[in-house]
Amino acid sequence: MFSPAPLCAVLDLLRRLRREDKGVAVLLLAAAAVPLVGVVGLAADTARAYAVRSRLIDALDQAGLAAGRARDGQAQSDMTAFFHANFPTGSMGIALEGPTLIETADGKELTLRATAHVPTTFLSVLGVDTMTVAGATTVRRTARGMELALVMDNTNSMKQSGIDAMKTAALTLVDILYGDNATLPNFWVSVVPFTGAVNVGSENADWLASVPGWSPGGPYVKDANSNAWKGCVEARHQHGNDMTDEPPFLHGNYLTAQAGQSAERFRPFIFPQNKDDNRYWMDSAGATVDANGKALAAPAINDKASAGGIPNPSSNGGSSVGKGPNLSCGTPILPLAADKAAVKAAINGMSFWPPRGGTIINQGLVWGWQTLSPKWRGLWSNAALPDDLPLDYGTRNMDKVVVILTDGQNDFSVNDSVHKASGLLSDYASYGRLSDRRLTTATDKTSVLNALNGRLQTLCTTVKAKGVILYTIVFNNPPSGVKTIMRNCATSVAHHFDSPDSAKLRSAFRTIGSQLSDLRVSR
């Protein structure tokens, strides 16, 4: 709004000229010119006032978004900083009043106002020195819903680079999103730790392949110490389902597709300890069988080195669940959960695992995606979810988001002094060993890692095509190749963060938290 003064001076001059007995043409011309200048000046200065008002409102919008995202009493300072960044004080001689901020009692709506006094150029001839414009904007914190998966690297390198820093940063993100609330409407979070394999939880044993003589409800015993299967699974690479969100076909076996289905079930990840033990389990009667149920002579099994085999040291502080069949099997997935305390407990429960198996990033990502996929609705035995979760892709006012962090590249653990002697070439991971040729006919590490990287890139493209927002974080300066892959994997450059230290990592998670605090400007 603007309010120029009336043109009283012009009218008075015309009245006086009319009363003059000896008015001359030049005075009449001058009298006529004054209102003409006033009209032209009014148009020019009004246009300028409109431009200032447009800029004022834009600055208020930006300041309102900043104030809406702010936490811990920072709304006022953030509003002021963003406003003046977009509308500097004293710009073009403009005098400002404000901005002021009014927040509703429930904190869901913020109103910002400001006034600008714009100096005139032409209207000053008529005694109008300033024009006043005012602006206001309202920001509403919307209740837009979200399904969020936090996919976190738990490999041994995190011991050196700082798993505590990762957990602290992730907890900060959770606090930003939840605020002081225990739950939020339409908001769920999953936590997916990964190493060389992913632990889906032993409660989900019905996803596993049927092996003759080995009941899916059995103990899946592997060694003489009765260490049962902990919950890690191998990658389903036969039909490319390590790059899809297809759930396991619950009436088939691992290798055979039935009724036109290609979504095979999962092999349990059981770390072989003997060079001749590439794939075997004990059935419920204690007999040793291979993947097809064929009886095998039981090898010498313990938590150390078997004859001609590979050392199997304890891990994760000596916990027995990190030995034997569960070597390098990390913390279980937390499927989508509404409760803030459960999410924070899952983050705090993560730990680095020993330098065995390797780092398989795409397995972390595919399981993060599967916690959000509507195709997995009702399959998570250890999830307390409504029947309609995960929601369909494209559900209105709902976002599906994956945040994935790694400090390294795809990798198979190789100990030359052990593996060359055994002929196995590498440790065991979710794709077996290098010598198993599950990804390529080559057995050299470079060829297999290139194949893994290709699968990761394909997976990223597929996930984004489903409308999932993908944030990627690289931590502690991994090789440049993985930085490029992770940057390209993200939804956009703005969704990728290169965090060489703990401070940058905290900043990355704070930025993600701010971006995920969805806001809508309304006037």
Side-chain angles (χ1 to χ4, degrees):
M1 302 295 291
F2 53 88
S3 54
L7 304 179
C8 296
V10 175
L11 295 174
D12 285 342
L13 176 60
L14 291 174
R15 291 190 190 100
R16 282 187 279 107
L17 288 173
R18 187 178 180 183
R19 292 194 296 266
E20 283 289 336
D21 294 333
K22 298 179 179 180
V24 293
V26 68
L27 291 178
L28 290 173
L29 181 60
V34 171
L36 182 61
V37 171
V39 171
V40 174
L42 177 63
D45 285 333
T46 297
R48 182 165 179 257
Y50 270 119
V52 170
R53 184 172 184 270
S54 177
R55 183 178 174 188
L56 182 74
I57 291 175
D58 182 65
L60 286 170
D61 286 349
Q62 298 301 319
L65 291 173
R69 287 191 294 261
R71 296 292 187 272
D72 303 326
Q74 296 296 311
Q76 182 72 40
S77 60
D78 286 3
M79 173 202 69
T80 302
F82 271 76
F83 178 84
H84 289 298
N86 290 279
F87 202 121
T89 302
S91 175
M92 298 182 292
I94 298 170
L96 286 170
E97 295 179 20
T100 60
L101 173 65
I102 300 174
E103 188 171 356
T104 57
D106 60 8
K108 292 184 178 179
E109 186 171 288
L110 296 83
T111 300
L112 289 74
R113 300 182 185 277
T115 301
H117 301 285
V118 185
T120 62
T121 300
F122 294 99
L123 288 181
S124 60
V125 174
L126 305 178
V128 181
D129 296 323
T130 61
M131 301 181 75
T132 300
V133 297
T137 191
T138 297
V139 172
R140 291 190 177 96
R141 293 186 172 106
T142 66
R144 187 175 178 89
M146 186 187 307
E147 295 172 358
L148 169 65
L150 301 177
V151 182
M152 306 278 101
D153 190 333
N154 280 202
T155 55
N156 184 69
S157 58
M158 291 298 292
K159 175 182 180 181
Q160 287 78 31
S161 62
I163 196 165
D164 289 339
M166 181 182 72
K167 292 196 290 187
T168 298
L171 291 170
T172 298
L173 170 64
V174 172
D175 285 334
I176 289 173
L177 296 175
Y178 276 95
D180 296 329
N181 303 290
T183 61
L184 290 172
N186 301 316
F187 185 72
W188 296 273
V189 183
S190 63
V191 180
V192 182
F194 71 92
T195 57
V198 174
N199 187 339
V200 302
S202 58
E203 304 91 339
N204 295 306
D206 58 345
W207 302 349
L208 299 179
S210 297
V211 175
W214 182 38
S215 168
Y220 312 109
V221 173
K222 170 67 186 297
D223 64 15
N225 294 327
S226 298
N227 284 323
W229 173 71
K230 180 182 172 185
C232 281
V233 294
E234 295 185 359
R236 296 182 303 165
H237 64 285
Q238 272 84 355
H239 298 290
N241 284 317
D242 56 337
M243 297 179 287
T244 76
D245 63 340
E246 291 297 325
F249 183 48
L250 299 184
H251 303 289
N253 61 33
Y254 179 67
L255 296 175
T256 304
Q258 296 185 6
Q261 300 275 346
S262 63
E264 71 271 21
R265 294 160 70 95
F266 294 91
R267 269 183 170 174
F269 176 88
I270 299 176
F271 199 106
Q273 298 175 47
N274 186 283
K275 71 182 182 68
D276 298 320
D277 165 30
N278 199 41
R279 181 75 276 142
Y280 78 89
W281 304 275
M282 288 183 182
D283 63 18
S284 56
T288 303
V289 296
D290 65 14
N292 297 311
K294 181 181 178 181
L296 297 174
I301 300 297
N302 53 48
D303 286 330
K304 298 180 182 178
S306 300
I310 298 174
N312 214 346
S314 63
S315 63
N316 195 31
S319 171
S320 63
V321 295
K323 300 178 181 179
N326 298 305
L327 183 63
S328 194
C329 179
T331 308
I333 289 175
L334 172 72
L336 286 177
D339 187 63
K340 177 184 179 182
V343 175
K344 297 186 81 168
I347 293 171
N348 281 319
M350 293 188 301
S351 177
F352 66 89
W353 291 82
R356 303 299 302 271
T359 303
I360 310 295
I361 301 170
N362 49 298
Q363 278 295 285
L365 178 56
V366 76
W367 278 106
W369 176 24
Q370 287 168 168
T371 66
L372 309 182
S373 170
K375 292 183 177 181
W376 287 72
R377 191 179 296 155
L379 293 183
W380 293 91
S381 300
N382 50 334
L385 291 174
D387 292 339
D388 61 344
L389 288 181
L391 295 173
D392 290 339
Y393 296 116
T395 299
R396 186 177 180 182
N397 292 326
M398 285 294 298
D399 293 313
K400 292 182 185 287
V401 182
V402 173
V403 178
I404 181 168
L405 177 149
T406 186
D407 74 332
Q409 62 184 349
N410 280 316
D411 190 28
F412 274 74
S413 179
V414 175
N415 183 329
D416 287 343
S417 64
V418 172
H419 295 116
K420 284 185 177 180
S422 67
L424 294 174
L425 303 181
S426 74
D427 259 355
Y428 204 83
S430 54
Y431 288 94
R433 305 185 194 275
L434 292 176
S435 51
D436 290 337
R437 297 180 172 87
R438 294 191 183 182
L439 295 172
T440 173
T441 56
T443 59
D444 63 286
K445 186 174 181 179
T446 299
S447 295
V448 174
L449 297 188
N450 286 339
L452 279 177
N453 289 338
R455 294 177 101 81
L456 174 58
Q457 291 166 326
T458 298
L459 178 59
C460 292
T461 300
T462 304
V463 170
K464 290 184 288 188
K466 289 293 187 180
V468 178
I469 300 169
L470 189 50
Y471 286 88
T472 61
I473 304 172
V474 292
F475 180 38
N476 198 37
N477 285 320
S480 59
V482 74
K483 290 185 178 183
T484 300
I485 291 172
M486 297 299 282
R487 181 173 62 248
N488 294 337
C489 184
T491 292
S492 73
V493 174
H495 292 78
H496 172 71
F497 298 87
D498 189 348
S499 304
D501 54 43
S502 298
K504 291 287 187 181
L505 185 65
R506 289 193 300 272
S507 176
F509 274 94
R510 288 195 188 100
T511 300
I512 293 170
S514 294
Q515 292 181 5
L516 293 181
S517 298
D518 189 75
L519 300 168
R520 179 177 73 241
V521 175
S522 62
R523 298 187 182 90

